Amino acid sequence: MAEKRSAVRRGDWDDAAMRFVMAGVTAPSHVYPGLGLIAELVARGHRVTYVVGDRLAELVAATGAEVVTHDSVMPGADEHWPDDVGEAMQVFLDDAMTVLPVVLGIDRPDAVLYDIGGFAGRVAAHRWNVPAVQLSTAYVAWEGMAEEMAEFDEQVKASPSGARYYATVRAWLDENGLGLDADEFLGSPPACVVLIPRVLQPNADRVADRYVFAGPCIDPARRTGWTPDPGDDRTLVYVALGTSYTQRPDIYRACIDGLAGDYRVVLATGKVDPAELGPLPDGVTAARSRPQLDVLEHASVFVSHAGMGSAAESLWFGVPTVLVPQAVDQSTNADMLVSVGTGVRPAEPWTAGSLRAAVDEAAAKAGRAAQVRAEVRRNGGVARAADAVERLSGENGVRGADTR
């Protein structure tokens, strides 16, 4: 694939302490969590070249990084994700395989950073023989996880889509001279900075020390200055289901019917046209997207799909959650928030009555949410993440070259 320099590319760069290449994944849920870190690395004088699909170039450019764009095969916000596990995994792999030539077309850096799905970054680091540091936007592997997940993994590998996926991975690794087992390549990075709070990590006590938990890296550029309309002192409830699985007008309508009157409700409806929800009562507003960080600053309860980014941001802002998971890792994330003591997970079906009761219960968890917020902010953030990237990128023992 031919490399395309984005129109938002910066001009000449000053000398920097280190030169990084970041292999991203063209999905907002993968890009947003790391933007604050990328901006901090640039502010520290490092030169960062970020590889991402065209449609997210402007988002990344705001960090000050140099942006190299490509035609991503990742589904867009209005496109459907495969329901089959193997087919969904194949999307990430296909994208990485098309991105690799773009990454390798960049001048050799001092180190490579890469998203958990940005496999091209790890392969490129091997080809360049430079350190590789994964930026994980989700929970990471723990000691014994492979054994605990063995039955599920075997089922995936035995399916037609899973067999195709693992065969493609093996052929790609062989083509690029990586002698790693496919599972090790996919799940065991040589070094990793984890962009979620440690309290959201399952079996955190069994995670290797080489994984550095930095927690959320809140990006100031995402703030818009949004504030609620004045003159209404009712408790504010924010309702949002992320970017991919948002076609749930039934949930939005249930929140309106259950909360209107006693609560102020701010809805982000994603793929659903707000007009489909009908007339909105006083104190209820709806739009396809909202400045989530700003809204969470003012919200008292967050009705969420429990995507990892939203889960982490709810803890950073100390907002209790009502959890309505839709797919992928969201049920696990929801269970972690419940176990932390900041989340409520109502049983299905989700009705106006059950969601209202859950919001009332969540609002009573404000004290616990404030405690977790203090812990998360004390133990993580942008500075910790950037410090870890600098240290891991400078350690000779952390190499992109995997020859085992």
Side-chain angles (χ1 to χ4, degrees), residues 306-322:
M308 186 58 84
S310 292
E313 289 169 3
S314 76
L315 297 182
W316 183 266
F317 286 97
V319 182
T321 48
V322 171

Side-chain angles (χ1 to χ4, degrees), residues 138-193:
Y139 56 81
V140 295
W142 57 88
E143 183 180 349
M145 180 179 176
E147 292 77 14
E148 295 167 19
M149 297 291 294
E151 182 177 353
F152 173 79
D153 290 343
E154 288 305 317
Q155 290 176 351
V156 172
K157 292 177 181 179
S159 69
S161 60
R164 175 191 171 220
Y165 173 79
Y166 279 94
T168 307
V169 171
R170 181 69 269 153
W172 191 48
L173 295 181
D174 290 343
E175 177 184 341
N176 286 283
L178 279 84
L180 291 175
D181 174 78
D183 288 325
E184 184 177 359
F185 171 80
L186 297 168
S188 299
C192 183
V193 178

Side-chain angles (χ1 to χ4, degrees), residues 125-351:
H126 167 79
R127 296 275 295 268
W128 282 322
N129 192 32
V130 299
V133 180
Q134 184 187 92
L135 304 182
S136 179
T137 54
Y139 56 81
V140 295
W142 57 88
E143 183 180 349
M145 180 179 176
E147 292 77 14
E148 295 167 19
M149 297 291 294
E151 182 177 353
F152 173 79
D153 290 343
E154 288 305 317
Q155 290 176 351
V156 172
K157 292 177 181 179
S159 69
S161 60
R164 175 191 171 220
Y165 173 79
Y166 279 94
T168 307
V169 171
R170 181 69 269 153
W172 191 48
L173 295 181
D174 290 343
E175 177 184 341
N176 286 283
L178 279 84
L180 291 175
D181 174 78
D183 288 325
E184 184 177 359
F185 171 80
L186 297 168
S188 299
C192 183
V193 178
V194 190
L195 305 181
I196 68 168
R198 192 176 182 88
V199 295
L200 286 180
Q201 168 66 43
N203 301 301
D205 59 329
R206 290 193 275 150
V207 173
D209 291 340
R210 70 177 183 273
Y211 297 137
V212 179
F213 282 86
C217 292
I218 301 300
D219 179 20
R222 290 176 59 195
R223 306 299 292 264
T224 67
W226 179 95
T227 58
D229 292 334
D232 189 340
D233 60 0
R234 287 175 293 178
T235 298
L236 192 154
V237 179
Y238 175 44
V239 182
L241 304 180
T243 57
S244 295
Y245 302 96
T246 63
Q247 293 175 312
R248 293 302 303 266
D250 56 321
I251 294 178
Y252 305 136
R253 190 70 246 177
C255 286
I256 294 169
D257 293 342
L259 301 176
D262 295 324
Y263 289 96
R264 237 185 330 177
V265 183
V266 175
L267 293 117
T269 60
K271 299 173 184 177
V272 175
D273 184 346
E276 296 180 27
L277 302 177
L280 299 179
D282 176 59
V284 177
T285 61
R288 286 185 180 270
S289 64
R290 296 287 191 175
Q292 180 155 299
L293 301 184
D294 292 317
V295 180
L296 287 176
E297 187 78 64
H298 298 277
S300 295
V301 177
F302 181 13
V303 179
S304 170
H305 63 309
M308 186 58 84
S310 292
E313 289 169 3
S314 76
L315 297 182
W316 183 266
F317 286 97
V319 182
T321 48
V322 171
L323 304 158
V324 288
Q326 304 296 300
V328 293
D329 63 345
Q330 294 164 16
S331 287
T332 299
N333 301 339
D335 290 342
M336 292 299 294
L337 287 169
V338 171
S339 69
V340 168
T342 65
V344 176
R345 186 173 179 179
E348 297 185 59
W350 297 312
T351 64

